[in-house]
């Protein structure tokens, strides 16, 4: 899939309470990722920057396994850096990534996604808004086990505790997905600073109403801040334009050429 067939926008903000933004977002036209760093002092910031900085160099992914390998390499880089600097000991980061998979390096085929931690990937398609990733967090595991409700999870005092992160161990278990690319799909990658402040219903409403991806991310960040902004917030929206949209553009241009 060429860059022209995707449109995207990204916004990140420190929020209203924290002094440092430990989130990082990246987009290179073929791979998109959000990382939410954790760890005292500079740790969280450095870990999320290492993850984003590694992934931004990757342009071609031919399988979900390849994306998983890239995330595992980011883990190794974070571990290596933490081992050489006592200030960074114990640093970690979540990462959620979406990558174009095109075996011939151009044509749109599929997307691969990868997740570690509690940042999220959602898809809006044919009006249906759906979380594709599964959170690696204490509250999500309790909810999946039926020990607490989704409502209790949303306000649980330990809702920030993640059960998987890059930097935590030499080995990291990466969840991956592979699914078809279709014109009209809209993807949202975000850190928990959005999810914990704004309901999925309100997020979906913005994604349905605001066509421009950058503007949509700005709206969502603004909503998180107005709701309290208790955490850093990073929002990335990726739209699949495809053939239908291109045809519509051409149809619109014709009368102008004639007049
Ligand atoms: Mn966060």
């Amino acid at each position: 899939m060429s860059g022209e067939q995707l449109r995207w926008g990204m916004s990140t903000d420190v929020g209203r309470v924290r002094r440092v933004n430990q989130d990082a977002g990246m987009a290179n036209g073929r791979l998109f990722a959000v990382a939410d760093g954790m760890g005292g002092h500079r740790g969280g910031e450095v870990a999320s920057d290492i993850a984003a900085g590694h992934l931004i160099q990757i342009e071609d992914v031919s399988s979900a396994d390849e994306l998983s390998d890239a995330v595992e390499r980011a883990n190794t880089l974070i571990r290596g850096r933490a081992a050489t600097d006592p200030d960074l000991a114990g640093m970690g980061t979540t990462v959620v990534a979406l990558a174009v998979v095109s075996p011939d390096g151009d044509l749109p085929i599929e997307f691969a996604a990868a997740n570690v931690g509690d940042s999220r990937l959602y898809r809006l398609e044919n009006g249906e808004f759906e979380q594709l990733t599964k959170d690696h967090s204490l509250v999500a595991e309790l909810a999946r086990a039926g020990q607490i409700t989704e409502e209790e999870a949303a306000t649980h005092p330990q809702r920030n505790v993640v059960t998987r992160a890059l930097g935590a161990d030499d080995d990291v278990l990466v969840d991956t997905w592979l699914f078809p690319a279709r014109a009209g799909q809209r993807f949202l990658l975000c850190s928990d600073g959005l999810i914990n402040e704004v309901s999925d219903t309100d997020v979906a409403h913005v994604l349905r109403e605001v066509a421009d991806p950058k503007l949509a991310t700005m709206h969502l960040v603004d909503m998180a801040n107005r709701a309290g902004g208790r955490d850093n917030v990073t929002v990335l929206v990726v739209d699949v334009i495809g053939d239908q949209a291109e045809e519509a553009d051409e149809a619109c241009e014709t009368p102008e050429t004639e007049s």
Side-chain angles (χ1 to χ4, degrees):
M1 179 174 289
S2 63
E4 303 83 68
Q5 288 172 287
L6 297 179
R7 281 195 314 169
W8 66 91
M10 178 166 55
S11 294
T12 185
D13 194 78
V14 68
R16 293 246 160 117
V17 174
R18 306 281 173 94
R19 278 182 294 175
V20 178
N21 190 350
Q22 297 192 321
D23 282 3
M26 61 120 316
N28 67 11
R30 298 180 67 82
L31 199 148
F32 306 86
V34 166
D36 178 347
M38 61 207 79
H41 299 292
R42 301 177 295 125
E45 237 184 312
V46 174
S48 61
D49 275 351
I50 292 172
H54 176 63
L55 293 174
I56 204 166
Q57 298 169 50
I58 296 160
E59 293 197 340
D60 285 300
V61 167
S62 62
S63 67
D65 277 352
E66 232 179 84
L67 183 59
S68 178
D69 289 348
V71 171
E72 286 175 52
R73 280 198 301 278
N75 181 61
T76 303
L77 290 170
I78 291 164
R79 298 282 294 171
R81 181 78 182 277
T84 63
D85 186 343
D87 272 1
L88 301 177
M91 69 174 172
T93 186
T94 72
V95 68
V96 62
L98 177 72
V100 172
V101 177
S102 55
D104 66 358
D106 185 29
L107 289 172
I109 306 289
E110 292 174 305
F111 285 107
N115 183 54
V116 175
D118 67 351
S119 299
R120 289 183 181 174
L121 171 68
Y122 292 88
R123 178 178 58 202
L124 179 67
E125 185 172 14
N126 299 324
E128 194 184 328
F129 184 62
E130 180 186 8
Q131 182 183 340
L132 298 180
T133 50
K134 201 171 67 171
D135 295 350
H136 305 134
S137 67
L138 183 65
V139 291
E141 285 176 11
L142 290 173
R144 283 196 290 270
Q147 292 176 22
I148 59 171
T149 65
E150 295 289 342
E151 290 70 31
E152 286 167 337
T155 55
H156 198 282
Q158 286 178 290
R159 66 183 177 279
N160 292 325
V161 176
V162 295
T163 50
R164 283 193 219 171
L166 300 190
D169 205 339
D170 286 339
D171 294 315
V172 62
L173 192 57
V174 183
D175 286 353
T176 59
W177 295 263
L178 195 66
F179 45 87
R182 283 188 288 261
Q185 288 171 327
R186 167 168 266 196
F187 295 96
L188 167 71
L189 295 87
C190 62
S191 62
D192 67 340
L194 177 68
I195 295 146
N196 288 334
E197 301 290 11
V198 186
S199 72
D200 278 17
T201 308
D202 290 344
V203 170
H205 181 73
V206 170
L207 293 176
R208 289 191 182 100
E209 296 300 319
V210 183
D212 181 76
K214 174 67 182 180
L215 214 54
T217 64
M218 290 166 69
H219 271 283
L220 291 170
V221 166
D222 191 47
M223 285 165 76
N225 281 332
R226 275 187 282 125
R230 280 157 283 204
D231 194 2
N232 309 145
V233 56
T234 302
V235 181
L236 178 50
V237 170
V238 182
D239 289 334
V240 185
I241 304 303
D243 295 341
Q244 282 185 333
E246 282 166 16
E247 281 164 22
D249 283 349
E250 282 167 17
C252 291
E253 281 164 15
T254 311
E256 286 177 8
T257 319
E258 284 172 355
S259 63

